[in-house]
Amino acid sequence: MSTIPDITGGADDIVVPFQVDEIDLRGRVIRLGRSVSTMIDRHGYPAPVARVLAEATALTLLLGSGLKFDGRLILQTQSDGPVRMVVVDVATPDRVRALARFDAEAVDAAIAAGRAEPAALLGSGQLVMTIDQGGDMQRYQGIVSLDGQGLERAADQYFRQSEQIATRVRLAAAEEYVPGDDGMKHTWRAGGLMVQHLPPAGGESHRDLAPGDAPDGTVLPEPHEAWAEARALTDTIEDDELVDSTLSPERLLFRLFHERGVRVFEAQDVKEHCTCSRDRISGIVSSFTSAERRDMVEDGAITVTCEYCSTSYRYAPVEFDPAE
């Protein structure tokens, strides 16, 4: 039985890839702290809405961190639940921004009725994944049904129908109180695990394990049995393990897969980062007609606030229509 070096320690805002060769498994673990807390606190979302946004962010980064090109992965929910829409925009490989739109009265009613879990708040609708490689490359879009099943099951379904890859996703988010200069400080955390069964071409499993990873004479399972084992192990994870700041990704993976021999690769940092800028917003305002811009003027200026980061940009009308 081998051990895994605890490289990341208690680091947050990272994605950690791993591989379990013996059962043809690969995957990634994600831990989010400051990045997701910043996005939530900026908008003051109610706690149940914050949890939906945090889990959606973790899911999108789990997917986006595996893309091998510079582009964007956009996750968007469109549903009839109290949380009408969630958008998470990942600029590969490491920048993320996110927002949620919700019916405040419906959210309050869901809380009062004890139905404020993410699946219930999203309700029925669609989960849309858009991959944009930029330039002249065609966008790829995958759509799966939500229908009250939540983000975890929707992600599993997305991979089954769009990629034909056996996949299991686990997501969690939680509030945390930590000591600060002025007493206890409230923050948010999110975590996730994605595992995929990828047998080599031809269906034969490769077994180039490091010495000691598996006992001599081990009878290896057939691929379908290997995937059943991987799913069963993944489903043993508790939500608090996914968000526990004292449990490193390496230790979590060792708990799950030490009997099969797990290899952990270099962690990838992620950060909250909005792509808005004064020039970019100016370009959007310029696309409107002069009459439309006149209707935008309030108190002698055109003010645009970014929905993602809440930054406000103020422009003098003469910047767009010098003759007026």
Side-chain angles (χ1 to χ4, degrees):
M1 184 182 300
S2 62
T3 59
I4 305 173
D6 193 346
I7 301 170
T8 60
D12 281 333
D13 300 319
I14 55 172
V15 180
V16 180
F18 67 91
Q19 191 164 310
V20 186
D21 296 313
E22 187 177 333
I23 52 176
D24 302 313
L25 197 71
R26 75 174 183 187
R28 291 185 286 278
V29 176
I30 187 167
R31 284 284 173 76
L32 300 177
R34 181 177 180 180
S35 59
V36 74
S37 197
T38 296
M39 290 187 289
I40 291 170
D41 293 345
R42 181 181 287 139
H43 293 279
Y45 294 122
V49 178
R51 183 182 172 192
V52 174
L53 183 79
E55 290 190 1
T57 301
L59 172 59
T60 312
L61 283 165
L62 278 173
L63 304 179
S65 60
L67 299 178
K68 305 302 182 184
F69 56 82
D70 290 333
R72 295 170 68 190
L73 172 65
I74 302 167
L75 176 149
Q76 181 172 338
T77 68
Q78 301 169 337
S79 61
D80 62 3
V83 178
R84 306 296 190 193
M85 185 178 76
V86 175
V87 182
V88 184
D89 182 353
V90 172
T92 61
D94 61 356
R95 293 171 292 165
V96 62
R97 59 180 185 168
L99 65 88
R101 293 178 183 168
F102 61 97
D103 182 327
E105 291 185 0
V107 170
D108 289 342
I111 295 172
R115 290 186 49 79
E117 65 275 11
L121 290 181
L122 288 171
S124 297
Q126 293 181 328
L127 173 67
V128 182
M129 302 275 199
T130 303
I131 297 175
D132 183 0
Q133 300 185 54
D136 298 328
M137 300 294 289
Q138 185 175 0
R139 281 189 170 196
Y140 168 80
Q141 194 168 80
I143 301 174
V144 296
S145 174
L146 285 171
D147 293 336
Q149 66 181 336
L151 293 173
E152 287 186 0
R153 301 300 180 185
D156 294 349
Q157 181 183 340
Y158 167 79
F159 278 100
R160 282 197 307 272
Q161 72 180 40
S162 300
E163 308 291 341
Q164 289 80 54
I165 299 174
T167 302
R168 181 72 175 104
V169 173
R170 287 282 289 108
L171 302 168
E175 297 174 271
E176 182 179 55
Y177 290 86
V178 296
D181 294 337
D182 301 318
M184 299 301 289
K185 180 182 178 182
H186 171 263
T187 63
W188 276 90
R189 298 182 57 76
L193 171 74
M194 181 174 73
V195 295
Q196 296 181 311
H197 185 235
L198 295 172
E204 296 181 0
S205 299
H206 60 280
R207 310 296 180 192
D208 52 340
L209 301 174
D213 280 341
D216 292 337
T218 298
V219 177
L220 300 173
E222 294 299 323
H224 69 281
E225 295 175 352
W227 177 236
E229 176 184 338
R231 279 185 60 99
L233 290 171
T234 301
D235 288 342
T236 65
I237 299 175
E238 300 290 341
D239 286 358
D240 59 355
E241 291 180 287
L242 289 171
V243 298
D244 186 353
S245 59
T246 67
L247 178 63
S248 70
E250 292 90 346
R251 289 173 56 205
L252 173 61
L253 291 170
F254 186 75
R255 283 184 182 182
L256 290 174
F257 303 116
H258 64 275
E259 291 185 356
R260 293 298 189 183
V262 56
R263 293 192 289 153
V264 177
F265 304 104
E266 183 178 358
Q268 174 183 305
D269 294 333
V270 296
K271 57 181 177 289
E272 182 273 332
H273 176 80
C274 189
T275 59
C276 74
S277 67
R278 183 174 181 82
D279 288 344
R280 179 167 296 191
I281 300 299
S282 176
I284 294 173
V285 176
S286 297
S287 67
F288 291 92
T289 66
S290 295
E292 289 171 328
R293 284 194 291 271
R294 283 195 293 272
D295 290 338
M296 297 178 188
V297 176
E298 292 185 7
D299 297 327
I302 297 173
T303 302
V304 180
T305 301
C306 176
E307 276 196 281
Y308 286 97
C309 68
S310 299
T311 300
S312 292
Y313 298 90
R314 184 179 174 89
Y315 304 90
V318 71
E319 293 182 53
F320 304 101
D321 302 293
E324 296 187 11

